[in-house]
Amino acid sequence: MFTPSDLKNFENRQRAWSRRTFLGKSAQAVGSLALGSLLNPSLLGQQGPWRGVLDAPHFYPKAKRIVHLCMAGGPSHVDLFDPKPVLNRLHGQPFPESFTKGEQLAQLQGTELLARGTQVGFRRCGISGQMISDLLPHTQTIADDICIVRSLHTEQINHDPAHAFMNAGSINKGRPSMGSWLLYGLGSEAENLPGYVVLVSEGGGGAQPISARQWSAGFLPSKFQGVQFQSRGAPVHYVGNPDGVCQSTQRQVIDEVARLNGLQQQQSLDPEIETRVSQYELAFKMQTSVPELADISEEPQSMLDLYGIKEVGDGSFAANCLLARRLLERGSRFVQLYHRGWDHHRQLDENIQVASKLCDQASAALVKDLKQRGMLEDTLVIWGGEFGRTPMGQGTGRDHHINAFSVWMAGGGIRPGTTWGSTDDLGYRYLNDGQEVHVHDLHATMLACFGIDHKKLTYRYQGRDFRLTDVHGHVVKGIMS
Amino acid sequence: MSDLTIFVGRFHPLVVHVPIGVLLLLAVSEAMGWRWSKLRLTAGARMVVLGFVVLGAALAAGCGWLLAQQGSYDEALVGRHQNLGFITLGLTVALFAVQKWLKLYGSLLAAAVAIMAWTGHNGGSLTHGPGYLAEHAPAMLRPLLGGGAPGRPAPATLAEADVFYDVVQPVLNARCVACHGESRADGDLRLDSFEAILAGGEHGEAIVAGSPAESLLLQRLYLPLDHKEHMPPAGRPQPTDFDLAVLDWWIADGSPAQGGFMARAPDPVVVEIVAAQLGLPPPPIPDRAEMLAIARELEVELGITIRPLTTEEPWLGVNARLAREDFDDDTLTRLLVLAPALHRLDLGGTGVTDAGMVHVAQMTELRRLRLDGTAITDTGLVALAPLKRLASLNLHSTGVTDAATDALTELPRLRQLYVWQTGMTPMAALSLAEALENRRKLDRYRAQIAANQRRIADETFRVDFGAEPLVLLEEAEASPAEDE
């Protein structure tokens, strides 16, 4: 069994195996270890739920699972959650230079900056009266369940590094994503499905590629990395046995491979071998669990209608949302849904309608569905992109924007019906009003919802302790219930 | 009975102590003079002092007689006190008469002091209630003082404490029973037994079970100190916030006549107060290491997860969903060893039934309980009434119906209830929500009133003769006690 202490001591033990000790001890060691594993083969298999490195959360946890609805491309905050009447009045006029002088720009460099108002209406929604754009009529109906953060800001202005920053709190390669950190800290309660699952939806066009490094475990053992499921057709290909192989033969093969891997593992103490063993075991279990997961024939038509699913397994964001709920029900810790197609450099007015239509209903349906099942109280939902879009126009669209953008959060540990933070009159920059939220703060808050002190969840790598928030991050208590 | 008689009568306690003191001094002086001739009193001095004693005693007896006419005291006790008082008065007169015959005078003086002490003790009983002397006496002295052994041994643990005899009655004894007891029942109200409290007094019922706000007893306690109807009267020992909290809790909980205190799952705050008042250690928090060791074993054995919720405390969350139908009512009993530490229990989709709810009812620390997708029905929910701390209850996809609302109203802390895909109608769910909300509002309202009234009693004013005539010095925040 792969225990947290093994993990922590791995580096030390590696050092302890000097050449001399190795040569001196290997002869009897190999023999006795082999015997040990023969006597106790269950040591090698990955059995059911497993623990993380933390014996328990640091303080009383509110959430135990999370679904991240990642609106890749950068949704425009001034068209969705942050109405700016002043910006509308300035529409078409030069954007005040006092805002933009010396600022970092993406594709707008060297062009004349014109203010671009929004073409859509906003309305106060629910009892909480939060302002939500008419582009998101379904999200408007869950206004009292969500907390809108308007003062989020990031440091990366291009898609790939901005995603990396949103996932891992750093653009340096090799840093673990937030899902990996959570698995590392808390383990998984999923019996026979991965604890961290990623789905990337299709449709809408204008999709930027998403690199698998976004759900990488980085320097953490790769056991903690996200597992991408296919969103079109079967979630996992080739889970069935080939002709002539029955389940019991398969079991024998897996056991034998695990035993051999175990021998190697006990010599080299490499956690990657342990990872491989547990992947084999998990894959074996998924031969039955995945078809069961994907079989949504037990879901009534009303449920499909709630999410707005036209065809099962069509790769749409809506279908993925339903799959996400089923994964969460079965114990997955972290489900991440990417919907690409929010990168509206051109024809924003038309394209944002397309993207909104594809995401709005299912996002709201997921919150409602989790709520009616009583799962929203311990499931954290985060909806948002890797950055926002400029209040300045870029022809018929908007450019990337990092100084302010909006996300919404709901569920486990989040105070519903709250709008947090503000931007200036033009939606250009977050206000320093004590409610500003950096991506590091978002990470710290997310971990706090799980009862984790972000300063205490660390992993020693290359001689120093790393954490998701690195040396930054403040918990935003004001949005926590 | 005119106001004047009462006015004069109430001087009795003041006047009576003057001749007592002087008579005692006289006795001491005579005793010393008998031993050392140098200290012997002169005949003149003796006459002056005795005259003073006779006058004082007569005045005290007169006031006392007027006071006794007022009623409201136990007649037998008042009668005895009165007779003894007159005998004491008679003895002082006799002393005055025989002061020349020293032998006779000496024995009479000793008798007068003895009778006076007995009279005084009876007076004390009138004021503080019979048995006042024995009440707080060391155990070995108690039988000598006529208190006898206390009727009920003090509980050794909180679990043994009785909700009325050990928790409520001591508060009433300390603050109320002197004037509302056996020897004296002002306003025809006695608070020295459960039956007497229920009977009420001349102003009607003292308590309304379940509603502290409507209970006259608490209303009087909460009135500002300078209000003429405030109880206990200014000058008497006032109830502490702790006393109020205990009475408030007891009435809110339906004013039970007896039964285990801890079995009613009282607020942790009340438990703490009661533990302190009874001089008992607070209820033990289960040992984390011990709980975890049991949890680890059960996890493997039952195929479920039992995880600690925090690093420091023993609180546990159980996920039995993983075991599906294999986890049934019998398996549930295995978790009872962990009951003091169980905060969250997920039984969703398991094989538990209504019969198993009696076991769940013993897990009184539960905050979250999930029963979705089980065979549970309205019948089973009735058993869950002891879960006074339950904040979230998931019943979706079960057989519950509108009939469950009564049982659910018994859960005062309930905040989240999930009844999707059940037989409960939206109307019933709404009215249940309203009932629970009203109950919480009442709780908050009550807490606010209490806080306000205590603030008013403590307010300090400063009169400023400048531009601002009156400035409130301390504007204490009236903070409503928010739950969770």
Side-chain angles (χ1 to χ4, degrees), chain B residues 5 8-20 52-70 78-93 116 119 126:
Chain B
T5 21
V8 176
R10 286 189 175 178
F11 276 95
H12 173 71
L14 173 74
V15 174
V16 77
H17 291 98
V18 177
I20 290 176
F52 186 83
V53 167
V54 171
L55 257 171
L59 204 57
C63 291
W65 183 79
L66 288 176
L67 188 61
Q69 303 312 303
Q70 191 188 328
V78 162
R80 192 163 55 199
H81 180 58
Q82 192 172 303
N83 293 340
L84 286 168
F86 284 137
I87 292 174
T88 315
L89 175 62
L91 281 172
T92 56
V93 173
M116 181 185 73
T119 318
L126 277 177

Side-chain angles (χ1 to χ4, degrees), chain A residues 51 57 60-61 189 373-374 377, chain B residues 299 311 319 343-344 392 394:
Chain A
R51 289 167 189 281
Y60 214 84
E189 290 198 10
R373 285 165 204 274
E377 65 181 24
Chain B
E299 264 192 327
T311 323
N319 181 359
H343 272 201
R344 297 178 181 174
S392 169
N394 195 330

Side-chain angles (χ1 to χ4, degrees), chain B residues 356-484:
Chain B
M357 291 308 107
V358 289
H359 307 312
V360 176
Q362 294 179 50
M363 305 171 183
T364 51
E365 293 292 325
L366 278 180
R367 268 65 170 174
R368 275 186 194 174
L369 175 61
R370 293 194 172 159
L371 295 165
D372 50 291
T374 60
I376 196 87
T377 67
D378 303 334
T379 330
L381 293 184
V382 177
L384 296 184
L387 302 185
K388 299 289 183 207
R389 299 180 211 275
L390 197 65
S392 169
L393 176 61
N394 195 330
L395 297 171
H396 97 68
S397 305
T398 60
V400 300
T401 67
D402 291 353
T405 46
D406 284 347
L408 293 171
T409 322
E410 292 298 309
L411 305 173
R413 294 285 177 87
L414 197 61
R415 297 243 155 177
Q416 307 281 347
L417 175 70
Y418 302 95
V419 288
W420 181 56
Q421 289 186 332
T422 64
M424 189 178 283
T425 58
M427 284 312 289
L430 278 178
S431 65
L432 171 64
E434 202 176 339
L436 284 167
E437 176 63 15
N438 284 342
R439 190 166 171 166
R440 270 197 292 278
K441 267 188 199 154
L442 201 64
D443 283 349
R444 269 205 295 278
Y445 177 65
R446 224 166 49 217
Q448 264 167 359
I449 290 182
N452 274 335
Q453 283 170 345
R454 261 166 271 161
R455 178 174 64 87
I456 290 168
D458 298 341
E459 258 170 10
T460 336
F461 288 92
R462 184 181 71 203
V463 180
D464 185 336
F465 295 100
E468 292 167 276
L470 196 64
V471 181
L472 198 57
L473 265 186
E474 284 173 79
E475 205 159 297
E477 283 276 313
S479 55
E482 278 286 345
D483 289 4
E484 212 177 333

Side-chain angles (χ1 to χ4, degrees), chain A residues 49-51 55-62 64-65 186 188-189 191 303 329 333 369 371-375 377-378, chain B residues 288 292 296 299 305-311 315 319 321-322 324 343-344 346 367-368 370 392 394 396 416 418 420:
Chain A
W50 44 276
R51 289 167 189 281
D55 163 53
H58 300 115
F59 36 84
Y60 214 84
K62 292 284 176 69
K64 58 191 282 189
R65 29 186 143 64
L186 297 176
S188 168
E189 290 198 10
E191 225 177 345
M303 195 51 68
E329 268 183 326
R333 179 79 65 190
D369 197 14
K371 192 178 177 186
Q372 68 194 1
R373 285 165 204 274
M375 290 168 68
E377 65 181 24
D378 54 7
Chain B
R288 188 173 193 274
L292 282 189
R296 292 266 154 98
E299 264 192 327
T305 62
I306 307 174
R307 296 287 158 84
L309 291 172
T310 68
T311 323
W315 316 130
N319 181 359
R321 196 177 282 269
L322 300 161
R324 304 207 176 79
H343 272 201
R344 297 178 181 174
D346 187 347
R367 268 65 170 174
R368 275 186 194 174
R370 293 194 172 159
S392 169
N394 195 330
H396 97 68
Q416 307 281 347
Y418 302 95
W420 181 56

Side-chain angles (χ1 to χ4, degrees), chain A residues 17-332:
Chain A
W17 279 84
S18 68
R19 200 166 65 101
R20 186 182 299 252
T21 34
F22 178 77
L23 289 175
K25 292 192 173 173
S26 54
Q28 82 247 29
V30 172
S32 61
L33 287 176
L35 183 67
S37 61
L38 274 175
L39 291 174
N40 191 0
S42 72
L43 279 176
L44 304 173
Q46 185 67 60
Q47 300 291 322
W50 44 276
R51 289 167 189 281
V53 70
L54 300 178
D55 163 53
H58 300 115
F59 36 84
Y60 214 84
K62 292 284 176 69
K64 58 191 282 189
R65 29 186 143 64
I66 169 172
V67 53
H68 179 207
L69 308 176
C70 185
M71 301 294 117
S76 167
H77 56 292
V78 292
D79 294 301
L80 296 174
F81 296 106
D82 201 0
K84 289 293 158 194
V86 178
L87 181 67
N88 290 353
R89 280 205 293 280
L90 274 184
H91 182 71
Q93 296 173 39
F95 203 78
E97 204 191 337
S98 57
F99 281 77
T100 55
K101 190 161 187 178
E103 288 280 321
Q104 190 187 11
L105 295 167
Q107 301 179 9
L108 282 174
Q109 289 173 49
T111 61
E112 190 196 4
L113 298 176
L114 298 175
R116 189 179 206 288
T118 181
Q119 306 299 312
V120 295
F122 278 79
R123 68 186 68 202
R124 295 207 168 275
C125 308
I127 300 167
S128 58
Q130 301 203 86
M131 294 292 271
I132 299 175
S133 158
D134 286 342
L135 285 168
L136 305 171
H138 292 92
T139 309
Q140 288 179 342
T141 64
I142 55 164
D144 292 335
D145 294 315
I146 65 175
C147 165
I148 298 173
V149 178
R150 286 174 172 171
S151 55
L152 196 61
H153 48 284
T154 182
E155 294 175 5
Q156 292 302 319
I157 204 163
N158 286 309
H159 297 290
D160 185 70
H163 278 302
F165 198 71
M166 184 56 90
N167 269 300
S170 167
I171 59 162
N172 294 345
K173 289 194 167 52
R175 293 292 176 82
S177 63
M178 50 184 171
S180 301
W181 277 112
L182 270 180
L183 284 199
Y184 163 69
L186 297 176
S188 168
E189 290 198 10
E191 225 177 345
N192 40 26
L193 286 166
Y196 177 11
V197 179
V198 183
L199 287 150
V200 181
S201 56
E202 301 171 4
Q208 295 281 349
I210 289 284
S211 153
R213 85 169 169 108
Q214 303 304 348
W215 44 92
S216 136
F219 49 64
L220 291 175
S222 49
K223 173 183 180 172
F224 303 119
Q225 80 181 17
V227 175
Q228 188 184 358
F229 279 10
Q230 305 300 317
S231 51
R232 181 179 286 279
V236 181
H237 292 319
Y238 315 119
V239 286
N241 289 324
D243 289 343
V245 175
C246 66
Q247 204 64 357
S248 64
T249 319
Q250 186 81 340
R251 178 77 259 178
Q252 284 170 6
V253 171
I254 304 278
D255 286 348
E256 183 59 19
V257 171
R259 190 182 70 80
L260 294 172
N261 273 329
L263 293 179
Q264 181 68 20
Q265 149 76 7
Q266 298 199 30
Q267 273 181 46
S268 70
L269 296 173
D270 183 352
E272 289 306 306
I273 296 178
E274 179 59 41
T275 298
R276 179 55 63 95
V277 171
S278 62
Q279 301 292 46
Y280 272 119
E281 183 64 29
L282 182 59
F284 176 74
K285 285 179 176 166
M286 282 163 61
Q287 287 192 298
T288 48
S289 66
V290 168
E292 192 268 337
L293 169 78
D295 175 22
I296 56 174
S297 59
E298 66 186 66
E299 301 283 346
Q301 185 60 37
S302 60
M303 195 51 68
L304 303 185
D305 294 343
L306 176 70
Y307 283 85
I309 297 171
K310 294 188 191 72
E311 194 190 327
V312 173
D314 62 354
S316 65
F317 180 74
N320 286 352
C321 278
L322 181 63
L323 205 56
R325 193 263 287 157
R326 292 175 65 85
L327 277 163
L328 295 170
E329 268 183 326
R330 285 159 179 74
S332 285

